[in-house]
Amino acid sequence: MNPVDQAVISQALLSAAREMGIALYRSAYSSVVRDGKDASTGILDADGNAVAQSDELIPMLVGSLSITFRSCAARYPIAKLREGDFYICNHPYHGAHHLQDILIFVPIFFEGKIVAFSAAVAHHLDIGGGAPGLNSSSTDYFQEGLVIPPSRYNLADDWNDDGPLRHFIGANIRVPEATLGDIDSQFAACAVGAARVHEMCRKYGAATVTEAMGEMIAYVERRVRASIAAIPDGTYVGEDALDDDGLSEAPLPIKATVTVRGDSLTVDFTGTCPQVKSHMNAPFASTVSATLACIKSVLSGEDVPFNEGASRAVTVIAPEGCLLNPRPPAPVRARMEASYRAYDAVLKALGQAMPDRAIACGYDTTTGFCLSYLQDGRYRVFLELRDGGYGASADGDGCDAVAGPLSNCTNTPIEQIDADYDFFRIEHYRLRPGTGGAGRQRGGLGSSRGYRILADGVRLAIYADRFRIAAGGLAGGGPGALGFCHVHRGDEVIEVRSKADVSLRKGDIIVLASGGGGGHGDPALRGRAAIAADEAQGYV
């Protein structure tokens, strides 16, 4: 193929995927998608292989698009799709991560033939289940929300004009205007992707665009395999652990054995603890996504997109019944914590194989923080995903108070929260000095945010981690600080566990603090200029 056409079409596809993401979050209704950008978009080829994905959105979500698509196509063959049809699924044991993530795939027809699919996934504010927004006490995934198995529907017949599917979903959730509005935004994003693919097909021809998609996937596979081949053959082991499962105080160990043979790499999670009764389990699709995201970030640069090619050089194994591949109907709502520890375990193993690129672990935790309030028969649900400090490398300090490497969500502006919610307000939002691990390069800082409750009957649900086991340092660096959650009620300070459900009173102040990343290198070797800059900024 003409290399110039290949380059232009490849970048056009990547641009289309990014434009889809912008269309999604700019038209979204909920703060978690509109402001937090907890969503992702992409373009798949006619067989459902991921080609181009929105790299500025959620790495964790883009890694499983093809897995979910294959579950849908296995039940409803691609050959039987007609214009206006779409696949939809949120089933955690059929490729989706948890029920809150609804995936939609829309076939793109050109001259009567499917040439590609546009895809959009978003985390929804409420999807029903046993509690608003977040059911911390679920014992199976049925209690976590409405289950949408791999399905095929038609936009005109089943969704538009309050069609039966739209009506059915709206009747099973507490905030239908937000959830249905966000699904509409997903369809809008998919329409943008279809329009861009049509433009390319009209300009270059469908056969040329199809060939370019295939070469994009092959290019990524070649680049990833070349990076793997540069690693010395051998077996490398990394381990990490979750604080607990929310029911006991026993840590949950995760073990990753990385084996490199030539240009192929295998990650085996044998030795990871068994699945648990709480919602801390991670379905296998999440484990695959976390593993690929880690390998991609360590082995390649920004010039290599994340698509199907990355998975073709990597094999991921997790024994059935373990925390990273649970048997249904195990609950999985808080699967990000186990996924992050899988990421950290792989990161440590790769650090042994490539010491010059080793990075200390960060806070690497999704803090799911949900406040809900029922007033006059109407639910109000606020959901926020908080930040933390990154681990330091040999070349630089860890980033301060940003979303973890699997998340990439943005913080919700205080002004937007004040405009949307009147049953609480933000009292403070600031960095936590001294929370980054000490080192020649320091770990990133965590942050603290205070929420004053303005009404009785507000409910707090939280899942988090690293309240008990800190992010460790590397090469002599110190650990990052732990996170915590406290409720200040008058003169009383109530400690909230990292996985909890708490009834609140008017006047309570919740202080939610994220921890820091690990440091890198001997702290005694930190330069005077860096120390002076930290002191001037108030970081220490």
Side-chain angles (χ1 to χ4, degrees):
M1 184 175 177
N2 184 320
V4 175
D5 286 348
Q6 176 66 51
V8 171
I9 295 171
S10 296
Q11 292 303 312
L13 288 166
L14 289 168
S15 178
R18 297 178 185 123
E19 186 183 355
M20 290 169 65
I22 293 169
L24 199 164
Y25 66 72
R26 284 189 176 176
S27 59
Y29 279 57
S30 72
S31 60
V32 72
V33 178
R34 183 187 65 232
D35 303 304
K37 299 181 176 60
D38 193 350
S40 203
T41 52
I43 293 173
L44 288 65
D45 68 15
D47 296 318
N49 299 303
V51 175
Q53 305 184 65
S54 50
D55 49 15
E56 79 278 10
L57 294 179
I58 310 301
M60 187 65 179
L61 297 181
V62 301
S64 66
L65 289 182
S66 298
I67 299 174
T68 312
F69 180 92
R70 285 191 282 270
S71 293
C72 294
R75 186 167 181 84
Y76 301 96
I78 297 172
K80 294 185 177 181
L81 296 178
R82 59 188 177 91
E83 293 202 46
D85 284 354
F86 62 90
Y87 291 141
I88 184 170
C89 178
N90 74 342
H91 200 305
Y93 292 97
H94 287 279
H97 295 276
H98 56 190
L99 297 178
Q100 286 66 31
D101 292 334
I102 297 178
L103 294 97
I104 291 172
F105 305 90
V106 177
I108 302 173
F109 286 83
F110 183 76
E111 296 179 349
K113 181 181 178 181
I114 294 176
V115 294
F117 286 83
S118 51
V121 52
H123 179 108
H124 291 275
L125 195 61
D126 182 82
I127 196 66
L134 172 58
N135 183 11
S136 302
S137 61
S138 58
T139 57
D140 58 46
Y141 72 84
F142 299 107
Q143 300 172 45
E144 297 183 313
L146 177 68
V147 180
I148 306 173
S151 306
R152 178 199 63 197
Y153 291 97
N154 185 272
L155 192 64
D157 296 340
D158 302 309
W159 188 260
N160 293 343
D161 300 321
D162 199 28
L165 177 63
R166 182 187 186 95
H167 189 66
F168 175 75
I169 292 177
N172 281 275
I173 52 183
R174 297 175 180 84
V175 286
E177 65 284 349
T179 299
L180 297 177
D182 286 352
I183 295 175
D184 284 337
S185 299
Q186 290 178 250
F187 283 120
C190 288
V192 169
R196 299 297 170 260
V197 172
H198 284 155
E199 291 171 1
M200 285 178 255
C201 288
R202 286 194 293 270
K203 183 173 183 179
Y204 297 98
T208 300
V209 173
T210 297
E211 185 179 353
M213 290 180 180
E215 173 55 26
M216 280 185 72
I217 294 172
Y219 169 77
V220 172
E221 181 180 359
R222 290 196 302 271
R223 289 290 303 271
V224 172
R225 286 192 181 277
S227 298
I228 293 171
I231 304 173
D233 282 3
T235 299
Y236 310 92
V237 179
E239 297 186 51
D240 213 310
L242 280 77
D243 288 348
D244 52 63
D245 63 358
L247 303 175
S248 72
E249 295 189 355
L252 307 179
I254 288 177
K255 180 179 180 180
T257 301
V258 176
T259 303
V260 179
R261 293 288 182 271
D263 64 357
S264 298
L265 185 150
T266 299
V267 180
D268 188 344
F269 289 102
T270 298
T272 294
C273 68
Q275 68 186 68
V276 295
K277 295 181 179 179
S278 70
H279 63 166
M280 305 307 295
N281 304 288
F284 187 60
S286 295
T287 301
V288 171
S289 293
T291 302
L292 292 177
C294 182
I295 292 170
K296 167 70 176 63
S297 63
V298 172
L299 297 187
S300 66
E302 295 179 0
D303 61 320
V304 182
F306 193 176
N307 68 22
E308 196 76 19
S311 64
R312 293 181 176 176
V314 179
T315 301
V316 181
I317 301 169
E320 187 177 2
C322 78
L323 189 70
L324 300 177
N325 188 12
R327 297 184 181 93
V332 296
R333 174 65 171 85
R335 98 290 185 200
M336 279 297 287
E337 314 305 2
S339 299
Y340 265 122
R341 296 302 157 261
Y343 179 100
D344 289 338
V346 175
L347 185 68
K348 290 178 179 179
L350 291 175
Q352 297 170 25
M354 309 168 69
D356 58 320
R357 303 192 68 173
I359 301 170
C361 289
Y363 187 61
D364 294 351
T365 294
T366 288
T367 302
F369 179 83
C370 181
L371 296 173
S372 58
Y373 180 51
L374 177 61
Q375 182 181 32
D376 300 328
R378 177 173 176 258
Y379 276 100
R380 308 286 301 284
V381 180
F382 169 73
L383 181 65
E384 184 174 36
L385 305 174
R386 289 290 309 283
D387 52 52
Y390 268 48
S393 70
D395 301 320
D397 295 340
C399 203
D400 300 319
V402 292
L406 293 177
S407 170
N408 207 33
C409 292
T410 60
N411 60 349
T412 307
I414 292 173
E415 296 83 357
Q416 189 62 57
I417 295 172
D418 286 345
D420 287 348
Y421 299 95
D422 59 5
F423 62 91
F424 71 95
R425 69 167 179 257
I426 305 297
E427 291 283 296
H428 74 258
Y429 186 30
R430 53 179 173 251
L431 293 175
R432 295 178 63 201
T435 50
R440 188 174 68 85
Q441 307 290 354
R442 67 164 175 83
L445 306 183
S447 71
S448 174
R449 206 166 196 174
Y451 309 76
R452 181 180 291 274
I453 304 304
L454 304 178
D456 288 322
V458 176
R459 171 184 172 271
L460 161 66
I462 183 175
Y463 70 82
D465 205 53
R466 293 219 190 278
F467 280 26
R468 297 173 56 228
I469 302 175
L474 197 63
L482 296 171
F484 65 82
C485 183
H486 294 161
V487 174
H488 295 255
R489 182 172 292 163
D491 295 329
E492 182 183 11
V493 178
I494 303 168
E495 183 176 348
V496 179
R497 293 188 60 177
S498 59
K499 296 89 179 170
D501 193 323
V502 181
S503 295
L504 301 170
R505 302 176 187 173
K506 182 178 181 180
D508 286 350
I509 298 177
I510 307 165
V511 176
L512 178 60
S514 63
H520 191 292
D522 185 351
L525 300 179
R526 187 161 178 81
R528 293 183 179 180
I531 294 173
D534 284 343
E535 292 174 347
Q537 294 290 341
Y539 290 163
V540 295

